[in-house]
Amino acid sequence: MFRDRRGLVFCLDLSLIALSLYVSFLLRFDFRIPEAQNQVLLNGLMVIMIAKPLFFVASGMYRNIWKYASLRDAIEVLKVVTLSSIGSMLVLRLVNAPFGLPRSVYVLDWFVLLALVGLSRMFWRLYREALIIPSHLPGKRTLIIGAGDAGNLLLREIRKLTPSPYTIVGFVDDDPRKRGMRLSGIKVLGDIDHLKGLIRKHDIDNVIFSIPSAGPSVMRRVLASCEKANVRVRTLPGIASIIDGTFSLSQIKDVDIEDLLGRDPVVLDQRAIRNYLTGKRVLVTGAAGSIGSELCRQVAAFSPAKIVILDHAETPLFFIERELTGAFPDLQIIPVIADVKNRERIEKVFAEFRPEVVFHAAAYKHVAMMEYNPAEAVLNNVIGSRVLADAADNFKVRNFVMVSTDKAVNPTNVMGATKRSAEVYVQALAERSQTRFTTVRFGNVLGSNGSVIPLFKEQIRKGGPVTVTDPEVVRFFMTIPEASQLVLQAGCLGQGGEIFLLDMGEPVRILSLAEELIRLSGLEPYTDVDIVFTGLKPGEKLYEELLIDGEGILPTAHKKIRVSAPVESDYEWACVKLDALAALAKAGDIAGVLQSLKAIVPEFSPRYDLDAPQQLAFQRVRPDLFPPQKVAVVRSLRLEPVSRPEVVEPAGQAI
């Protein structure tokens, strides 16, 4: 013990224990201890100097790092001093006179020892923060936005570093009750509306946004002020890392577009989700994709009996299996390489693992790519979904949740039409099955593979230009974790056959998104990085929708989830139509595929019709979009002009 600082602290405590008893006697007898009490003092000291140190050592108090002393450490000191005082009093009472002390001395001794030990523990921290840390070169002058728990935690973390990269000048908070107050000695200088002036007045270099629960509107206000003052803005990680105590300064990051488009945290019905996931056998298809992999992470947190992760792509499946195994070492994770179109293989997977819950996220999702490959879109998105749904029905799966898209609503592209066809079949099957089939429909997810934001970032990194299809195009966005969490929630709400619609919030103009991304990169749109318009891609719409005409929406138990009114579907009719569609797709008859999709999805309005087999029809109309090497596999497509859609409120806002 005496080889390190803990030994020195123990010796200090021995002296404080003796000093405390002596001071208590002085206080008891008005600083004139009678001669008759001198022996009592010495006898009591003999007992106390043995009893109290034993309590101090047994408590584990010497394992604390006191340069980070906090309120929790002060509470521990209170407990140890109190227990040691009570223990010493009991020992002294047992041995009686001449060892007994005046009763008031016990109380005085407890109080004095508590003060001395507590001050000794705080002294090093005060000395370190007041004298040692300021002696180093100061860090960048910084304002913290948010004088709450997260801001206080951030300040404490910054003060732990020697030298610190930040010199905290003050806090900024919109709460008028905090204005002029001090948090850990740092003053709240004003509110966000005056942020630009505060930055200039105090010569600020950095601003750290420390309100994890704040909405994107607050972040945009801060960012706008800082851009005008030419100051860098950084932000804390999500609120989860603040709550669970895993936050560190290394997690402070630059503001990203996800922070500006972020939404209120999802509040899940944990009990309902546990009831259908905990201890169950779960299968996730498309497990290596953006949504599928996040579904795996979310499901794993609810302790299922096992997770079967199925995908056709070997390498991405390897990475998600390795990640899940590392994060959940006690969970049985079974990677399965399989093609959802292969009925025999899928049935063997169901027979071997007997899943009780299935999340079907496997799909071809890129609109323009599926315009070039409509037959493959049908085989994967429609026939693959049918194979999985049939297997779930045959093997009595309890819950089957299919991930769908807003592009299935009034589709103008093959991808959307195939997803709507899959919805039709799943709804029809639900009416005659014991399995609870539900579909979850939502829009774009931020940062998913191949989405617009990673594309824009790459274009900005290369110096531009950033390509936007149309200045008026808007899309709905949500984060991958939010979408996955709501898919889990919708899975326990469904009774069979419903289509759930996720609240996508306000639509985002893609042009504004591109401009903001350029600014976040420290550049100026149209000056440092140009933006060019390429025209809508094949099958794209200006506005996406979440509701088909005739589908009423109803509320659910979750405020961010709505459900469309049930639509009756004829199972036999759906089977006949899908059989015909599958035959045409396997034969490569693209004209027949499109006509068959129209028969299943009457609202499908493609931007082209098919006539005679003229291989270069695409190139003749839009050579910029359809170069010859990409047209070789496409038969006879004749583009028809499509009128520009009217600017209307997207139906998705209704939810």
Side-chain angles (χ1 to χ4, degrees):
M1 173 181 290
F2 294 95
R3 294 180 181 177
D4 54 26
R5 292 182 179 179
R6 289 179 295 177
L8 296 176
V9 174
F10 178 74
C11 292
L12 173 63
D13 286 346
L14 288 178
S15 63
L16 294 179
I17 290 170
L19 178 62
S20 173
L21 186 61
Y22 179 69
V23 171
S24 299
F25 266 81
L26 287 176
L27 293 173
R28 168 64 178 79
F29 296 104
D30 297 327
F31 295 93
R32 291 184 180 182
I33 302 175
E35 291 186 10
Q37 293 294 325
N38 286 336
Q39 190 61 43
V40 175
L41 171 59
L42 292 175
N43 292 337
L45 191 61
M46 291 171 57
V47 175
I48 286 176
M49 291 301 292
I50 295 174
K52 287 192 176 182
L54 289 176
F55 278 94
F56 276 43
V57 172
S59 69
M61 189 167 61
Y62 297 106
R63 290 192 292 268
N64 292 346
I65 302 175
W66 292 104
K67 69 179 179 180
Y68 301 138
S70 63
L71 178 60
R72 181 174 296 177
D73 297 307
I75 293 173
E76 184 174 349
V77 168
L78 172 63
K79 291 179 181 178
V80 173
V81 170
T82 301
L83 289 174
S84 66
S85 296
I86 294 173
S88 300
M89 181 184 68
L90 293 176
V91 173
L92 288 166
R93 286 297 183 185
L94 286 174
V95 297
N96 292 320
F99 297 94
L101 302 178
R103 283 176 293 182
S104 57
V105 169
Y106 293 114
V107 177
L108 291 170
D109 180 56
W110 170 83
F111 180 81
V112 173
L113 184 60
L114 178 63
L116 291 175
V117 174
L119 287 173
S120 71
R121 297 306 190 266
M122 294 300 297
F123 174 77
W124 171 242
R125 177 174 174 178
L126 293 172
Y127 172 74
R128 179 176 177 272
E129 292 185 359
L131 298 177
I132 297 179
I133 293 178
S135 65
H136 293 277
L137 293 175
K140 292 184 178 180
R141 295 176 61 81
T142 302
L143 287 178
I144 296 178
I145 308 297
D149 292 338
N152 187 44
L153 175 61
L154 172 62
L155 179 61
R156 288 173 53 190
E157 290 293 321
I158 289 173
R159 285 175 169 174
K160 289 178 183 178
L161 295 182
T162 306
S164 174
Y166 307 104
T167 296
I168 304 304
V169 176
F171 286 96
V172 175
D173 200 292
D174 277 343
D175 188 346
R177 296 171 298 179
K178 296 180 180 178
R179 204 160 303 150
M181 304 293 286
R182 291 184 180 272
L183 179 61
S184 297
I186 303 297
K187 188 175 181 180
V188 179
L189 300 175
D191 55 27
I192 294 175
D193 289 336
H194 297 89
L195 177 58
K196 181 180 175 182
L198 292 172
I199 290 172
R200 291 177 175 173
K201 178 180 178 181
H202 296 280
D203 194 22
I204 299 300
D205 303 308
N206 269 332
V207 170
I208 303 179
F209 190 85
S210 67
I211 316 176
S213 59
S217 59
V218 180
M219 175 68 81
R220 283 194 289 267
R221 287 170 57 204
V222 171
L223 192 64
S225 296
C226 292
E227 284 176 349
K228 293 175 182 176
N230 197 27
V231 167
R232 184 183 186 187
V233 184
R234 310 198 76 193
T235 185
L236 298 188
I239 194 169
S241 62
I242 303 293
I243 294 173
D244 63 22
T246 60
F247 164 71
S248 67
L249 281 184
S250 62
Q251 293 175 284
I252 295 178
K253 62 184 182 69
D254 291 327
V255 176
D256 207 341
I257 194 66
E258 286 85 352
D259 299 310
L260 301 181
L261 297 178
R263 292 139 59 79
D264 295 335
V266 176
V267 179
L268 298 178
D269 185 349
Q270 303 276 349
R271 179 180 298 179
I273 296 176
R274 285 195 189 96
N275 286 341
Y276 89 107
L277 288 183
T278 302
K280 302 297 191 300
R281 300 179 297 276
V282 180
L283 168 66
V284 180
T285 73
S290 303
I291 294 296
S293 60
E294 183 63 25
L295 277 172
C296 292
R297 299 182 191 101
Q298 301 284 348
V299 169
F302 286 93
S303 303
K306 67 176 67 172
I307 299 182
V308 180
I309 55 175
L310 185 149
D311 204 286
H312 196 218
E314 175 207 11
T315 301
L317 188 65
F318 165 79
F319 285 116
I320 186 60
E321 188 268 342
R322 187 174 65 174
E323 176 190 334
L324 293 173
T325 301
F328 305 93
D330 298 328
L331 178 61
Q332 187 177 4
I333 300 165
I334 304 167
V336 173
I337 297 177
D339 189 338
V340 294
K341 302 188 294 290
N342 188 332
R343 184 178 294 273
E344 182 179 352
R345 172 68 170 140
I346 293 300
E347 288 181 348
K348 286 182 178 179
V349 170
F350 274 74
E352 181 176 359
F353 300 110
R354 295 283 176 172
E356 299 168 89
V357 180
V358 174
F359 292 99
H360 175 36
Y364 289 147
K365 66 176 184 177
H366 295 292
V367 170
M369 190 68 68
M370 292 305 99
E371 294 300 287
Y372 290 122
N373 301 276
E376 286 302 314
V378 166
L379 292 174
N380 193 73
N381 293 358
V382 184
I383 307 308
S385 297
R386 182 183 184 182
V387 167
L388 280 163
D390 288 344
D393 178 46
N394 294 336
F395 287 91
K396 304 297 187 291
V397 169
R398 182 179 177 184
N399 293 84
F400 182 99
V401 183
M402 183 175 73
V403 174
S404 189
T405 171
D406 56 358
K407 294 172 179 60
V409 180
N410 299 322
T412 58
N413 53 69
V414 169
M415 194 280 281
T418 59
K419 293 299 286 184
R420 176 57 189 155
S421 298
E423 289 181 359
V424 169
Y425 182 77
V426 167
Q427 281 189 303
L429 181 58
E431 295 180 5
R432 60 187 296 275
S433 176
Q434 296 178 6
T435 299
R436 293 180 178 179
F437 287 95
T438 54
T439 299
V440 182
R441 189 188 287 165
F442 54 87
N444 301 278
V445 289
L446 293 169
S448 63
N449 296 332
S451 65
V452 67
I453 291 177
L455 172 62
F456 284 170
K457 287 180 177 179
E458 178 65 16
Q459 291 174 335
I460 294 169
R461 187 183 66 81
K462 292 180 178 179
V466 173
T467 57
V468 177
T469 55
D470 190 285
E472 299 300 321
V473 69
V474 297
R475 292 291 183 265
F476 293 99
F477 285 98
M478 69 194 321
T479 65
I480 294 175
E482 180 184 12
S484 301
Q485 289 168 1
L486 291 175
V487 167
L488 295 190
Q489 188 72 75
C492 63
L493 295 175
Q495 298 302 312
E498 302 96 337
I499 295 180
F500 289 101
L501 317 173
L502 304 190
D503 177 10
M504 297 299 299
E506 296 295 325
V508 177
R509 191 177 299 275
I510 300 301
L511 176 59
S512 301
L513 186 69
E515 292 171 343
E516 200 60 63
L517 270 172
I518 294 171
R519 293 190 187 98
L520 287 175
S521 301
L523 303 169
E524 191 63 30
Y526 310 107
T527 302
D528 301 314
V529 177
D530 199 11
I531 298 177
V532 299
F533 302 100
T534 60
L536 292 175
K537 295 180 181 178
E540 279 194 324
K541 295 190 290 186
L542 283 178
Y543 301 92
E544 300 293 357
E545 307 160 89
L546 286 172
L547 202 64
I548 297 172
D549 290 341
E551 285 184 334
I553 58 171
L554 303 171
T556 69
H558 196 283
K559 67 177 183 179
K560 288 197 171 187
I561 302 175
R562 299 292 183 268
V563 61
S564 65
V567 177
E568 292 187 6
S569 301
D570 187 313
Y571 175 74
E572 300 299 333
W573 174 87
C575 287
V576 170
K577 292 297 183 182
L578 262 63
D579 287 341
L581 178 63
L584 292 166
K586 290 175 182 177
D589 185 349
I590 297 178
V593 163
L594 292 183
Q595 292 301 323
S596 186
L597 283 173
K598 282 186 176 182
I600 300 170
V601 186
E603 62 272 17
F604 175 37
S605 55
R607 295 173 176 267
Y608 45 79
D609 282 331
L610 289 102
D611 48 18
Q614 298 175 2
Q615 292 240 326
L616 300 182
F618 265 160
Q619 188 186 19
R620 186 178 65 243
V621 182
R622 288 296 305 273
D624 56 326
L625 291 181
F626 301 97
Q629 63 269 27
K630 290 190 176 181
V631 181
V633 295
V634 181
R635 295 184 185 175
S636 176
L637 293 174
R638 176 169 51 80
L639 292 176
E640 293 184 338
V642 176
S643 60
R644 194 182 190 88
E646 296 182 4
V647 178
V648 295
E649 290 294 325
Q653 292 193 68
I655 62 169

